Amino acid sequence: MAEAAPDTRTKPARPEDERLSIGASFAYGFQHVLTMYGGIIAVPLIMGGAAGLAPGEIGLLIASCLFIGGLATILQSFGLPFFGSQLPLVQGVSFAGVATMLAILDGGGGLGDVFGAVLVASLIGLLIAPFFAQIIRFFPPVVTGVVITTIGLTLMPVAANWAMGGNAEAEDYGSMANIGLAGLTLAIVLILSKVNSATLSRLSILLAIVIGTIVAAVLGMADFSGVGDGAVLAFPTPFAFGWPTFDVAAIVSMFIVIIVTMTETTADILAVGEVVKTKVNSRRIADGLRADMLSSAVAPVFNSFPQTAFAQNVGLVAITGVKSRFVVTAGGVILVVLGLFPLVGRVVAAIPTPVLGGAGVVLFGTVAAAGIRTLAKVKYENNMNLIIVAVSLAFGLIPVVQPTFYDAFPDWFTIIFHSGISSAALMAVLLNIVFNHIRAGNTEHSSVFVAGTSVRLMKQVDLQSLREGDSVVGGKVVDADGEEVPVVPDDQYEDVRRKVENGEITSRDEVKAVCEE
């Protein structure tokens, strides 16, 4: 009998370099697209409405954002020399810039001012990306754990809003029908995750969205009537809304947004690196940020806005266990196609928002759980890590539980701290530097956050004082003969030791007497 040929297949050096079949890659990639689709079309819808654009023009904005998001995703995940983290990160329009871009429009500027500000600010971000990436050493597990947890927690209101219907002005917003549909989608995800099939489990989010949409259509909760309206094929026209204009104040404001998006992208790179279990260093972060900034700089040319990594897709990587970056690259190809074929995009846009909300509960919760898992690895004994976590998480949740908290602050401050992710990241990095890098002022029991720790320490001199047979009885140290070993107060120890060595003290009773004087 001929011997079987040896298996020459080798596992990739990095988990993210695993290659799946083309069919599986596009199936999982489509799941990524569905997960972030609502978020990527939200910004052009808001900006188009604020700019007073006609429905057809808003459709062009949406197509442009899908097209650029797809190219940015391919660049980030597949990568080129010096550009792209080569991690399973999905890119899309950043929501962090919406307030600033609306402020530019309210101040009398048009979309030209918005696009000009994005273009210049992104180019500046591209230049400083390598320097920004050097902060990696200030992101130990106590910081990354806080940031990842905050990402998940700050996304939960998004999932809740989707589950309620997505449009607070609608009559059925928050209805039992909407929430019930979201609950059904969530239940389908859980059931499919329980099925003894790796394929079904990994596709649980996609299948749940498909099944939830079918159920919604049967119940009359899905509207596909507008799918046939508009062009079937349309290529985004460069500068379709005119040439960009450059206003200094708008550029400065947008640069603050770019700093925020760079912080969030750094956090997402670290988060997905933790999920994938791969090495992330400053070089990789710099490559990721350069891809982020290059995409953001090109975006205005094709009528789009600043790009950033989508945190919800980090949750999808965690829950499915599909770590291949090529799956995300396939998702980027799908986004490009959606941008070229608005017809397909309109089909995806018809998915009921509550269905996305049900899936979002699992996705965003998984991100938070991944952060908690990282925080569980942090050492809290005899250090100030507990207070770092406590204060940073609080800062991250303040704008979530009270969105108007920073309304009275200056605009530049509000832009930064209104994002729970960026405020938590900045606070965690700052406190980590103060307590773990600047050692001056730290003492072993300087805070109640340290005093309650469980690890005990002994000075070497104390250990040298012990002898064979010594033990602790009733809180006192006794020797092998059962005699109590006197304990001398710290301020008297050197004096008593000297007297013992000089023969001035020769018994335990004399030690006690000296200590009681």
Side-chain angles (χ1 to χ4, degrees):
M1 180 180 295
E3 294 184 3
D7 189 350
T8 58
R9 293 177 300 176
T10 58
K11 291 185 177 180
R14 304 183 303 183
E16 63 271 26
D17 291 334
E18 179 184 5
R19 291 181 181 269
L20 283 63
S21 68
I22 294 179
S25 294
F26 276 93
Y28 294 131
F30 187 56
Q31 189 169 233
H32 273 287
V33 171
L34 289 178
T35 300
M36 54 85 72
Y37 194 85
I40 200 171
I41 67 173
V43 175
L45 283 172
I46 294 171
M47 293 302 299
L53 300 182
E57 294 174 315
I58 294 177
L60 174 59
L61 270 186
I62 293 175
S64 300
C65 289
L66 292 171
F67 180 75
I68 290 297
L71 294 179
T73 298
I74 294 171
L75 179 61
Q76 186 70 267
S77 58
F78 189 82
L80 294 173
F82 303 106
F83 292 92
S85 64
Q86 295 189 341
L87 286 166
L89 279 173
V90 177
Q91 300 284 120
V93 179
S94 172
F95 207 84
V98 171
T100 298
M101 292 188 293
L102 289 177
I104 294 173
L105 293 178
D106 291 341
L111 282 178
D113 285 339
V114 172
F115 291 140
V118 172
L119 177 59
V120 175
S122 299
L123 289 175
I124 297 174
L126 179 61
L127 294 176
I128 68 172
F131 307 100
F132 196 88
Q134 295 303 316
I135 65 174
I136 180 64
R137 68 190 186 93
F138 298 116
F139 278 82
V142 68
V143 174
T144 57
V146 165
V147 174
I148 297 169
T149 303
T150 304
I151 289 174
L153 294 179
T154 56
L155 286 171
M156 289 310 298
V158 176
N161 180 56
W162 287 351
M164 296 174 74
N167 181 9
E169 303 299 324
E171 294 183 1
D172 64 344
Y173 184 74
S175 66
M176 287 297 297
N178 284 343
I179 296 176
L181 182 58
L184 174 64
T185 305
L186 171 60
I188 295 171
V189 172
L190 299 177
I191 292 171
L192 292 177
S193 299
K194 181 67 174 175
V195 173
N196 188 23
S197 170
T199 301
L200 287 178
S201 181
R202 288 183 169 186
L203 289 173
S204 59
I205 300 293
L206 173 60
L207 294 175
I209 291 175
V210 171
I211 296 172
T213 301
I214 293 174
V215 172
V218 172
L219 297 176
M221 298 178 64
D223 182 12
F224 292 92
S225 61
V227 169
D229 298 338
V232 175
L233 174 65
F235 186 87
T237 305
F239 302 118
F241 298 94
W243 289 93
T245 52
F246 306 101
D247 178 79
V248 175
I251 292 171
V252 171
S253 298
M254 188 56 62
F255 179 66
I256 296 175
V257 173
I258 290 299
I259 293 295
V260 173
T261 60
M262 292 177 75
T263 302
E264 292 183 345
T265 295
T266 299
D268 288 331
I269 291 173
L270 292 168
V272 80
E274 177 72 20
V275 170
V276 173
K277 302 299 180 187
T278 191
K279 182 179 180 180
V280 174
N281 53 25
S282 58
R283 171 62 185 275
R284 206 165 189 184
I285 292 177
D287 290 348
L289 291 177
R290 274 192 287 261
D292 210 38
M293 292 299 100
L294 179 62
S295 301
S296 296
V298 172
V301 177
F302 290 94
N303 321 299
S304 188
F305 308 102
Q307 304 291 300
T308 190
F310 269 48
Q312 54 261 51
N313 291 82
V314 177
L316 184 60
V317 173
I319 196 172
T320 62
V322 180
K323 303 174 181 179
S324 172
R325 61 190 175 97
F326 302 110
V327 163
V328 170
T329 300
V333 173
I334 293 173
L335 282 173
V336 171
V337 172
L338 290 176
L340 295 175
F341 291 90
L343 173 66
V344 181
R346 289 192 293 270
V347 172
V348 178
I351 295 175
T353 307
V355 171
L356 298 176
V361 170
V362 183
L363 294 171
F364 306 157
T366 303
V367 176
I372 293 171
R373 182 176 58 188
T374 299
L375 289 175
K377 301 175 183 177
V378 176
K379 301 297 182 183
Y380 297 97
E381 296 80 14
N382 301 301
N383 56 46
M384 299 296 288
N385 283 338
L386 187 62
I387 196 170
I388 294 173
V389 174
V391 175
S392 302
L393 281 178
F395 265 77
L397 290 177
I398 282 175
V400 177
V401 299
Q402 186 54 264
T404 60
F405 188 86
Y406 294 114
D407 282 3
F409 286 71
D411 290 343
W412 65 267
F413 189 94
T414 302
I415 291 172
I416 296 174
F417 284 88
H418 188 68
S419 166
I421 298 172
S422 60
S423 57
L426 292 173
M427 186 56 60
V429 169
L430 176 62
L431 293 181
N432 178 59
I433 293 173
V434 170
F435 290 115
N436 290 334
H437 289 266
I438 303 175
R439 308 299 299 180
N442 289 5
T443 59
E444 185 175 335
H445 293 294
S446 59
S447 166
V448 293
F449 293 95
V450 173
T453 56
S454 59
V455 172
R456 296 176 57 223
L457 299 176
M458 291 184 67
K459 296 179 181 179
Q460 188 172 6
V461 65
D462 297 331
L463 185 62
Q464 293 172 344
S465 300
L466 296 177
R467 298 180 181 178
E468 187 70 27
D470 286 351
S471 59
V472 178
V473 178
K476 299 178 180 180
V477 178
V478 297
D479 60 21
D481 298 324
E483 296 289 337
E484 179 183 350
V485 179
V487 177
V488 181
D490 291 345
D491 59 344
Q492 295 178 286
Y493 180 80
E494 291 299 326
D495 182 54
V496 173
R497 183 182 62 81
R498 180 180 54 79
K499 290 181 179 180
V500 170
E501 292 176 350
N502 294 338
E504 299 177 41
I505 296 177
T506 58
S507 68
R508 294 183 176 89
D509 291 338
E510 290 177 357
V511 172
K512 292 180 180 179
V514 171
C515 293
E516 291 173 356
E517 290 180 356

